Amino acid sequence: MKQTLAKQRWIRLIPVVFITYSLAYLDRANYAFGAAGGMAQDLQITPAISSLLGSLFFLGYFFFQVPGAHYAEKKSAKVLIFWSLIAWGALATLTGMVSNVNFLFIIRFMLGVVESAVMPAMLVFLSHWFTKAERSRANTFLILGNPVTVLWMSIVSGYLLEAYGWRWMFIIEGLPAVIWAFLWWKLVFDHPKDAKWLSAKEKADLQAALEKEQEGIKPVKNYREAFKSKVVILLAAQYALWSVGLYGFVMWLPSIIKAAPNMSIVQTGWLSAVPYVLAVILMLTASHFSDKLQKRKEFVWPFLFIGAIAFYASYLIGPDHFWISFVLLIIAGGAMYAPYGPFFAIIPEILPRNVAGGAMALINSMGALGSFVGSYVVGYLNGSTGGFAASYIFMAGSLLLSAILTIVATKQAKEKHLKQPNLNTNIS
């Protein structure tokens, strides 16, 4: 019965979650291709303005993380994500219709606002359906929508840009989210008790397992108390620095590749997809072993450190050796994505359910600030210096600090847990 239950949840929920987050990521990341494929020229967008537009999404993304997580936990993740799908699909489509850069500022900011609740709401949703022993893998399949989407989007966007131009690329890629909203509504339930495809015994068994894992966690009264936790603060800072490197990479990789001699937009699309192949492999591997060994820290900081080394090595190689530098960027991209599943499994294992969603939202909102800084500063450095060396150093330093903070934060969490009797912590 236990195996049947696990199989049903994975088959019925994970594909839906994966597709939903994939569509969210599609509509935030295709700006990089639009900018490289003629938008900047047509709308007379300078490199500095392009950097601000690329990063403005994350400023909007910052503001509504915690309210979104609170609504998902207290009300309904299903409802929240349904309306978010419709709103972000419409805004993404409108991007292809703008003729004035001022409207583009508004759209990019609002796109961040409506997508801001999706990640924390999804993490809350998965915590209602998957136990601690499964959570790293479940989180990974959610976030896998990120690199997988960039992988195929990089290729498809290249062809759409060549065939139809940047306007139709945004319009075509924005419509699927609106259509998918109604499938999402039909296919998911907020809690196992509402699922008609589970038997009464399966519902009871799953609920008992989820309640049992909360028994050893020290009660936390409210969000304010959780947000003052040193562990939460350190993990928020860690994730902000991690996101500086990651989104500096994601938003500007097409432009970095396009700058190579004799590089077409279709070739740029294919090459931009390569780091995400490695990202998918490493994410699945890291989450599998993190759950199997019930270890978290060991599957986070080493990958961030490898990413830092790869960026620094790419800086040392210089612009005259494009292919060697590109291989190092592949390594950096894959390494930055690998720890997502284990990282987001940490918070539900150290905080009770009433505040875990809010804590994950706070951490994710700080990641949005880091994403804003990363995408803006990397674009600014590339434009002001006329090359990519300075941005490689910037991303390398951010990842190195993030790796160090991971060790410090998980050490704090372990010491905190050791003070609580009969508690088995798995973060180190």
Side-chain angles (χ1 to χ4, degrees):
M1 184 63 72
K2 185 177 180 180
Q3 289 181 337
T4 303
L5 175 62
K7 184 178 180 180
Q8 285 179 308
R9 288 175 298 145
W10 291 101
I11 291 172
R12 286 182 177 267
L13 297 177
I14 292 299
V16 179
V17 166
F18 172 81
I19 291 170
T20 304
Y21 194 64
S22 295
L23 292 172
Y25 207 80
L26 167 66
D27 290 334
R28 80 175 68 165
N30 57 6
Y31 174 80
F33 276 88
M39 175 193 276
Q41 182 178 356
D42 291 349
L43 299 182
Q44 298 181 330
I45 300 172
T46 65
I49 295 297
S50 185
S51 297
L52 181 58
L53 282 167
S55 56
L56 198 59
F57 167 90
F58 300 106
L59 196 59
Y61 195 76
F62 169 75
F63 285 105
F64 293 95
Q65 296 274 321
V66 176
H70 181 76
Y71 184 91
E73 186 64 68
K74 302 297 182 183
K75 301 282 187 179
S76 172
K78 176 180 177 176
V79 170
L80 184 62
I81 292 170
F82 171 78
W83 289 110
S84 295
L85 276 160
I86 293 174
W88 88 58
L91 286 166
T93 299
L94 283 174
T95 304
M97 303 178 185
V98 297
S99 56
N100 186 305
V101 72
N102 292 326
F103 288 116
L104 193 56
F105 277 110
I106 297 170
I107 288 172
R108 288 297 296 175
F109 179 79
M110 290 306 300
L111 188 64
V113 169
V114 299
E115 281 195 31
S116 63
V118 177
M119 177 71 162
M122 281 292 197
L123 291 169
V124 168
F125 175 79
L126 290 175
S127 72
H128 292 165
W129 281 92
F130 295 93
T131 64
K132 182 168 65 175
E134 305 164 322
R135 205 160 286 143
S136 178
R137 283 168 292 160
N139 291 345
T140 292
F141 279 112
L142 163 66
I143 302 165
L144 206 59
N146 177 322
V148 169
T149 300
V150 180
L151 195 161
W152 66 260
M153 186 258 319
S154 298
I155 298 168
V156 171
S157 295
Y159 282 108
L160 287 175
L161 283 166
E162 185 177 57
Y164 305 110
W166 64 270
R167 292 188 180 277
W168 276 105
M169 181 201 76
F170 282 113
I171 293 169
I172 292 170
E173 292 181 350
L175 290 175
V178 179
I179 297 168
W180 182 254
F182 298 94
L183 291 171
W184 163 267
W185 185 263
K186 182 73 174 175
L187 293 171
V188 303
F189 301 92
D190 279 301
H191 300 280
K193 64 182 177 63
D194 301 318
K196 297 177 181 179
W197 43 268
L198 288 176
S199 69
K201 184 178 186 305
E202 288 172 330
K203 293 176 184 179
D205 288 346
L206 178 55
Q207 187 61 35
L210 291 169
E211 288 177 359
K212 184 174 179 58
E213 69 183 34
Q214 293 285 307
E215 289 176 0
I217 300 177
K218 181 182 177 182
V220 176
K221 185 168 56 177
N222 51 38
Y223 283 161
R224 178 179 294 181
E225 186 177 334
F227 293 172
K228 290 192 296 184
S229 163
K230 286 184 180 180
V231 177
V232 173
I233 293 169
L234 286 169
L235 288 176
Q238 182 267 15
Y239 193 54
L241 289 163
W242 178 2
S243 298
V244 165
L246 181 69
Y247 282 94
F249 174 85
V250 169
M251 295 302 294
W252 295 105
L253 181 64
S255 296
I256 290 170
I257 295 173
K258 186 69 168 61
N262 305 314
M263 190 67 68
S264 72
I265 193 66
V266 172
Q267 289 173 316
T268 298
W270 277 97
L271 290 178
S272 296
V274 177
Y276 302 101
V277 176
L278 179 61
V280 169
I281 294 169
L282 292 180
M283 285 178 75
L284 290 171
T285 303
S287 65
H288 171 77
F289 284 104
S290 177
D291 275 349
K292 184 177 181 179
L293 300 174
Q294 282 295 284
K295 301 287 185 181
R296 306 306 184 198
K297 177 181 70 177
E298 289 82 357
F299 292 94
V300 178
W301 76 262
F303 285 109
L304 299 178
F305 182 72
I306 290 169
I309 295 300
F311 274 129
Y312 185 67
S314 189
Y315 157 75
L316 293 177
I317 292 296
D320 296 332
H321 301 87
F322 171 77
W323 291 108
I324 298 174
S325 181
F326 179 63
V327 169
L328 291 167
L329 290 178
I330 293 172
I331 294 169
M336 284 189 293
Y337 273 102
Y340 267 113
F343 177 78
F344 278 107
I346 292 173
I347 288 295
E349 294 176 3
I350 63 175
L351 289 176
R353 182 168 294 156
N354 68 309
V355 295
M360 288 189 290
L362 176 68
I363 291 168
N364 203 44
S365 68
M366 295 308 295
L369 273 187
S371 303
F372 174 83
V373 171
S375 53
Y376 179 74
V377 173
V378 168
Y380 174 80
L381 290 173
N382 292 344
S384 62
T385 64
F388 308 110
S391 61
Y392 290 163
I393 287 290
F394 176 64
M395 289 186 283
S398 298
L399 289 175
L400 179 60
L401 289 173
S402 181
I404 294 169
L405 281 179
T406 304
I407 298 170
V408 175
T410 49
K411 183 180 179 182
Q412 286 274 343
K414 184 176 181 181
E415 290 173 353
K416 177 182 175 182
H417 277 64
L418 287 174
K419 296 176 182 177
Q420 300 177 37
N422 302 319
L423 184 62
N424 179 26
T425 181
N426 304 306
I427 59 173
S428 62

